[in-house]
Amino acid sequence: MEYINKKLNEFNENIKGKKVAIIGLGVSNKPLIEYLYSLGAKITVFDNREQEKIDTDIWDKVTKYNLKYYLGEGYLDNLKGFDYIFRSPSCRPDLPEIEAEVNRGAILTSEIEMVLKLAPCKTIGITGSDGKTTTTSLIYAILKEKYKCFLGGNIGTPLFARISEMKPEDIVVLELSSFQLMNMELSTNIAVVTNISPNHLNVHKDYQEYIDSKANIFKYQDENGILVINYDNEITKDFAKQANGKVVYFSRREKLPNGVIFDEDTVKICDNDLRRHVINKKDIKIRGLHNIENICAAIAATKDLVSPEEQRQAIMEFTGVEHRLEFVRELDEVKWYNDSIASSPNRTIAGLNSYNERIVLIAGGRDKHLDYDPIAKPIIEHVDTLIVMGETAEKIKNAVTRELENQKKTLKIIKVANVEEAVKTAREIAKPNEIVLFSPASTSFDMFKNFEERGKKFKEEVNKL
C-alpha cells in the first residue's frame, strides 16, 4: 500500500489562500516560494537588502509570480495581517515587527522547522561551533548505502519541497546552525552536538543565548530520543543533565567505558567490556585530530543503524568537504590548502594542528567580536609567516605580537589588501616543503557573500600561479 503523509496533506490543504510572509530571499527560500505558490498561498516577500543585492534566480521567481515585496530599510514596516511567517536563519525571531505579528496570531516558523514537523521518518540533527558540516557529511555517507537519506539544513538542498518523497523508513540528516535553532520548539530524533565555543556573538545577544539555541536540538526530545555529545567539551558534556532520552558520549581524550573513543590510533565503540574496532587512523583520508572527533561523533550517531563494517567502509572512502582543509595544488614543493570555512579562531587552531609541516598562514576577515588571543600561541608554534587582511587583520596581528613579546620571539607578519595580494605574497615567501594555509579565523562578509565564494576566490588565485 502506498504511504500517505496525512500531516503533509493537511498542511497543503490548510495553506491554500493563506497570507504568507517569507522573510529573507536566500537559497533555502527559493523552493519554499515555489512550493507555497503552487498550493495557492498568498505570498509576500521581505528582505533587508535592495534588489540589486538579491540573487537574480530567486528574484526571477518574485517577478514571475508577481509577488508583493518590501525591500531595504524599513522592510518589515508592512509585516501586518499574515497567517504564517517563514523566517530565514539570518532573521532574528525577536524583531519587534515579528513579535507584534505573532502576538496578533500569526504562526512563526521556518523551512527547516516545517521539515521537522512534517517529515514522516527518523531525523538526525547535527550542530556545534565547529565540525558540523563534516560530521553531517560523514553521517550521510555512512547511512546512504543502506537507507534512502535526505541531506539538508545548512548543507545539501532545501528539503521542504521534498517532504512528499519521504517514507517512514527513510532518514533525514540535517546540519543545523544556532540561527536555525533559535526559538525552535521541536528536536530531531537523534541530536549530535560536536562542541560549543564562543561564536556568532555579533548576532546573538550573548554567549548564553548562543548556547541555549544549540540546546534546542535535543531539548524537546522524549524518552526515545538520542543525544550524542562531546565528552571533552565542558559545555556539551553538561548538556547531558538536560537530556530527556539516551545520552551517547564520544571522546578523543578519555577511555570511556561506554560510547565512542579514540584509543591507540583506533576509533572504537565501547559497551562496558566489549570493544569494537571501527577504523584505524592510517585508513582515514581527512587530516587533523578535530576530524577524528567528527568521525567519533558520526559513528556514535549511526552505531544503532549500521554495522561497524559499514561505518568503516564509508569513512575510508570519505575525502572531506570543500573549503575544509581542502588540498588545492602543489607548486614547487609547496602545498596549498583552502580552509575558508574557518570563520573562528578555534577552527583555525584546529587547522594549524592538522599539519606537521611549517606553515605560511593567510588569515583575516569580518569581525564577529571574538577573542583572538587564543590563536596567538598556535600561530607562533606552527607558522613561519603570517599574512593578515580584512577587518580582523589588526586584532590578529596585535594578539600575535603580544604573545611574541611574552615569548621573546619574532615572526614575520605582513598585512595585505585582499585575497589576490595574499596569494601572490605567499607565493613569494613559501619555501619547499612548507604549506600555505588559507584559514581566515573570521567570517567572509567584509569582502564576500559567504565562505564558499571566499574559498573559490582563493582557489582561483592559487590555480593562476
Side-chain angles (χ1 to χ4, degrees), residues 54-302:
I54 296 169
D55 287 349
T56 54
D57 58 342
I58 193 166
W59 187 253
D60 288 345
K61 296 295 178 186
V62 175
T63 54
K64 178 183 177 182
Y65 300 147
N66 196 28
L67 303 181
K68 277 188 183 179
Y69 60 86
Y70 298 96
L71 307 176
E73 188 176 350
Y75 72 110
L76 293 180
D77 291 348
N78 291 287
L79 186 70
K80 295 169 184 173
F82 288 92
D83 301 300
Y84 285 87
I85 301 170
F86 283 81
R87 74 172 185 94
S88 67
S90 62
C91 174
R92 286 188 61 95
D94 57 358
L95 294 176
E97 298 90 342
I98 293 176
E99 288 191 331
E101 192 66 351
V102 170
N103 290 336
R104 191 201 54 77
I107 295 170
L108 175 63
T109 187
S110 64
E111 184 259 347
I112 207 70
E113 185 171 13
M114 292 309 298
V115 169
L116 291 179
K117 282 183 178 178
L118 301 176
C121 53
K122 187 184 297 293
T123 56
I124 302 176
I126 301 91
T127 196
S129 300
D130 303 303
K132 57 184 178 290
T133 301
T134 298
T135 303
T136 304
S137 302
L138 278 162
I139 289 171
Y140 176 73
I142 289 168
L143 295 176
K144 68 184 177 69
E145 297 304 319
K146 187 171 182 178
Y147 300 89
K148 183 176 181 182
C149 288
F150 295 83
L151 181 66
N154 268 2
I155 189 173
T157 57
L159 295 181
F160 186 79
R162 299 188 64 196
I163 297 171
S164 60
E165 302 173 37
M166 299 173 187
K167 304 290 187 292
E169 63 272 17
D170 300 336
I171 298 178
V172 173
V173 182
L174 299 169
E175 179 194 323
L176 299 172
S177 70
S178 59
F179 307 136
Q180 289 167 314
L181 289 165
M182 279 181 76
N183 83 314
M184 189 85 84
E185 293 185 355
L186 66 165
S187 299
T188 54
N189 302 118
I190 300 174
V192 181
V193 188
T194 59
N195 48 60
I196 300 285
S197 61
N199 208 343
H200 300 300
L201 300 185
N202 57 328
V203 177
H204 287 286
K205 290 177 180 176
D206 52 34
Y207 190 25
Q208 190 58 51
E209 183 187 82
Y210 174 70
I211 294 169
D212 292 343
S213 296
K214 294 292 192 184
N216 285 340
I217 198 169
F218 68 87
K219 185 177 177 180
Y220 301 97
Q221 288 180 334
D222 59 22
E223 67 276 7
N224 298 312
I226 297 173
L227 171 60
V228 176
I229 46 179
N230 188 343
Y231 189 87
D232 304 334
N233 181 278
E234 286 304 314
I235 293 172
T236 57
K237 184 180 176 181
D238 199 52
F239 278 168
K241 298 174 186 174
Q242 305 174 45
N244 299 316
K246 180 182 178 183
V247 174
V248 180
Y249 290 113
F250 66 91
S251 176
R252 176 168 63 83
R253 298 187 177 97
E254 301 292 331
K255 296 181 181 179
L256 306 175
N258 291 286
V260 178
I261 66 169
F262 181 60
D263 179 38
E264 296 176 341
D265 280 347
T266 301
V267 180
K268 303 172 183 177
I269 299 173
C270 301
D271 185 7
N272 293 322
D273 294 331
L274 180 63
R275 297 281 189 275
R276 288 179 289 170
H277 291 214
V278 181
I279 191 164
N280 190 278
K281 185 180 176 183
K282 65 180 175 57
D283 296 319
I284 297 170
K285 290 187 171 72
I286 51 177
R287 296 179 73 156
L289 286 173
H290 64 295
N291 276 324
I292 296 292
E293 290 185 0
N294 297 334
I295 289 167
C296 288
I299 289 171
T302 58

Side-chain angles (χ1 to χ4, degrees), residues 232-434:
D232 304 334
N233 181 278
E234 286 304 314
I235 293 172
T236 57
K237 184 180 176 181
D238 199 52
F239 278 168
K241 298 174 186 174
Q242 305 174 45
N244 299 316
K246 180 182 178 183
V247 174
V248 180
Y249 290 113
F250 66 91
S251 176
R252 176 168 63 83
R253 298 187 177 97
E254 301 292 331
K255 296 181 181 179
L256 306 175
N258 291 286
V260 178
I261 66 169
F262 181 60
D263 179 38
E264 296 176 341
D265 280 347
T266 301
V267 180
K268 303 172 183 177
I269 299 173
C270 301
D271 185 7
N272 293 322
D273 294 331
L274 180 63
R275 297 281 189 275
R276 288 179 289 170
H277 291 214
V278 181
I279 191 164
N280 190 278
K281 185 180 176 183
K282 65 180 175 57
D283 296 319
I284 297 170
K285 290 187 171 72
I286 51 177
R287 296 179 73 156
L289 286 173
H290 64 295
N291 276 324
I292 296 292
E293 290 185 0
N294 297 334
I295 289 167
C296 288
I299 289 171
T302 58
K303 69 184 184 67
D304 295 333
L305 299 169
V306 295
S307 69
E309 292 73 27
E310 289 168 315
Q311 291 175 322
R312 181 187 305 113
Q313 188 60 41
I315 295 166
M316 284 175 63
E317 295 172 2
F318 188 79
T319 57
V321 183
E322 189 179 15
H323 309 300
R324 291 154 178 85
L325 297 183
E326 175 193 9
F327 176 69
V328 180
R329 71 180 293 197
E330 181 172 348
L331 181 64
D332 296 334
E333 299 181 66
V334 174
K335 292 187 174 81
W336 296 71
Y337 285 87
N338 165 34
D339 194 32
S340 181
I341 185 62
S343 59
S344 68
N346 277 351
R347 295 201 76 133
T348 295
I349 291 168
L352 293 170
N353 289 333
S354 299
Y355 301 98
N356 295 320
E357 301 94 330
R358 300 299 295 169
I359 295 170
V360 174
L361 176 64
I362 301 171
R366 168 65 57 86
D367 190 358
K368 289 196 291 185
H369 309 309
L370 302 179
D371 180 9
Y372 282 87
D373 285 342
I375 206 174
K377 286 182 180 178
I379 285 177
I380 293 169
E381 182 181 349
H382 294 280
V383 173
D384 279 348
T385 302
L386 172 62
I387 300 171
V388 292
M389 62 183 186
E391 290 181 9
T392 57
E394 289 301 319
K395 287 184 77 170
I396 296 169
K397 179 182 176 181
N398 291 341
V400 173
T401 300
R402 285 192 296 270
E403 186 59 33
L404 286 168
E405 290 171 355
N406 289 340
Q407 296 188 26
K408 295 181 171 54
K409 291 183 178 179
T410 59
L411 175 70
K412 191 169 187 179
I413 303 176
I414 303 170
K415 187 175 180 181
V416 297
N418 50 41
V419 170
E420 298 96 312
E421 189 179 347
V423 169
K424 288 175 184 173
T425 303
R427 168 73 167 134
E428 294 167 0
I429 288 168
K431 304 180 187 72
N433 301 316
E434 283 189 331

